[in-house]
Amino acid sequence: MKKPARAKKKQAYPKRLRQPVLRARPKRSSRTSVNAQTVRFAVIGDSHVGYGNSQAIFAGLLPKAASGGNKRFFIFGGDNAQAGADHGSHADAYYQAFKDQVTQTLGSIPYRTSIGNWEASTRPLFVKHLNPVYGQMNFPGTQGKVKYIWLDCALGAFSSGSLRLLRNLDDKSFYVIDFHWPLNVPGITVDPSHVLSKTETEKFYNAIPFAARSKVLAIFTHHGHKFFRKLGNLYSGYAKTKFFVCGCSGDYKCKSGDRGYYDGVLTINGNTASLEAYRVQVT
């Protein structure tokens, strides 16, 4: 008698483990690093070419400023030449010596000069050799997103034309502003005789329309023969505006420790812009 066939055992398969759902991590935006644009520039003040050993000092300092990085623009903040020292008798030669040194060193790099107190009595020669005593232009390399403005306060008071220029600013651009005398800001360490009065300081602040105040990235000044900076909270509406006093690049009332320039960097990212400036000491 045959034995009944055994039922085949059902083959066991390993249970399929439920695979976890892998969610792709959001990629970090590289928009800032890819699209951000930087523009390097330099700010130099009080070279006083024509006084003492200033011309030789300036001739040694300027190439150092020009050789560091890909500079797109140079700002010279006044008292570029010791033009009025002898009632202007040698002003033409001093201006020419300053301009020759700048053009030989910078080549095709654009620059602008503000007018200082030692140039105030020789305005026609200043304009002949350099540029108008106040004005506005596109900051090189920024495609018009940043405007550069230079003003005339050569004798410690803003000219009517300078104030009129400020009153016409709007919020469509960012601004970098330069003039010779420092504003009277809290905590400034510059000799009070080399600082604008509170009245002139108020004139400057109040001339700029409210809408444009938040677009002022930086204010560069000179005349104090030393370095000073204040990085915000200058005045109502200027919370993020950076304020600088440049040392000097010549021989007139310059201690070697206060001689040098600012190495500046503008960063533009879409509709935003920022500015940094670092002191470079030259002994």
Side-chain angles (χ1 to χ4, degrees):
M1 187 173 177
K2 291 183 179 180
K3 292 182 181 181
R6 291 181 179 179
K8 290 184 179 180
K9 290 184 178 181
K10 190 174 182 181
Q11 187 174 353
Y13 292 95
K15 292 183 178 180
R16 295 178 66 181
L17 298 176
R18 187 177 180 182
Q19 296 295 322
V21 177
L22 297 178
R23 295 182 179 178
R25 293 183 179 180
K27 293 182 179 180
R28 290 185 179 180
S29 173
S30 58
R31 191 173 299 172
T32 299
S33 59
V34 173
N35 294 338
Q37 174 191 5
T38 59
V39 177
R40 297 179 64 87
F41 64 99
V43 182
I44 298 174
D46 290 88
S47 53
H48 288 274
V49 169
Y51 175 87
N53 198 34
S54 287
Q55 187 168 343
I57 293 170
F58 182 58
L61 180 144
L62 187 58
K64 294 177 182 178
S67 63
N70 182 27
K71 300 288 197 314
R72 302 291 300 276
F73 189 47
F74 272 71
I75 296 169
F76 296 99
D79 284 355
N80 312 286
Q82 193 79 352
D86 52 6
H87 305 290
S89 298
H90 293 86
D92 196 272
Y94 295 159
Y95 280 124
Q96 191 63 54
F98 170 84
K99 185 176 182 179
D100 287 346
Q101 185 63 56
V102 170
T103 53
Q104 289 170 14
T105 305
L106 301 189
S108 61
I109 302 174
Y111 68 92
R112 281 293 182 274
T113 58
S114 295
I115 187 169
N117 53 294
W118 283 102
E119 296 156 327
S121 62
T122 58
R123 276 181 167 83
L125 288 175
F126 179 95
V127 174
K128 170 189 170 183
H129 287 281
L130 301 175
N131 47 248
V133 294
Y134 65 88
Q136 174 177 306
M137 62 179 280
N138 290 337
F139 202 107
T142 69
Q143 291 74 53
K145 293 180 179 179
V146 180
K147 305 291 185 184
Y148 173 67
I149 294 171
W150 69 102
L151 304 176
D152 174 8
C153 63
L155 293 177
F158 289 102
S159 68
S160 58
S162 296
L163 294 174
R164 184 169 59 251
L165 190 160
L166 294 177
R167 294 188 187 105
N168 287 323
L169 301 186
D170 55 39
D171 61 354
K172 296 178 182 178
S173 304
F174 292 96
Y175 302 99
V176 176
I177 304 176
D178 184 271
F179 46 89
H180 190 60
W181 286 64
L183 296 173
N184 196 326
V185 303
I188 193 167
T189 57
V190 175
D191 183 337
S193 67
H194 282 58
V195 175
L196 288 173
S197 69
K198 290 184 178 180
T199 299
E200 287 299 316
T201 298
E202 292 280 336
K203 282 183 183 180
F204 170 83
Y205 288 140
N206 293 330
I208 299 176
F210 284 101
R213 294 181 185 183
S214 62
K215 295 299 190 78
V216 179
L217 299 176
I219 300 165
F220 288 98
T221 63
H222 311 269
H223 190 46
H225 305 113
K226 67 184 301 183
F227 284 91
F228 172 84
R229 65 178 187 167
K230 186 175 176 62
L231 303 182
N233 296 311
L234 288 179
Y235 193 76
S236 177
Y238 298 90
K240 296 182 179 180
T241 302
K242 297 178 179 180
F243 173 76
F244 299 91
V245 179
C246 193
C248 50
S249 57
D251 199 21
Y252 181 78
K253 293 187 178 181
C254 287
K255 298 177 182 178
S256 60
D258 291 327
R259 195 173 288 131
Y261 61 94
Y262 277 115
D263 194 351
V265 181
L266 264 173
T267 302
I268 303 169
N269 187 24
N271 294 322
T272 65
S274 61
L275 181 148
E276 300 290 341
Y278 306 94
R279 171 187 174 181
V280 180
Q281 185 176 341
V282 179
T283 55

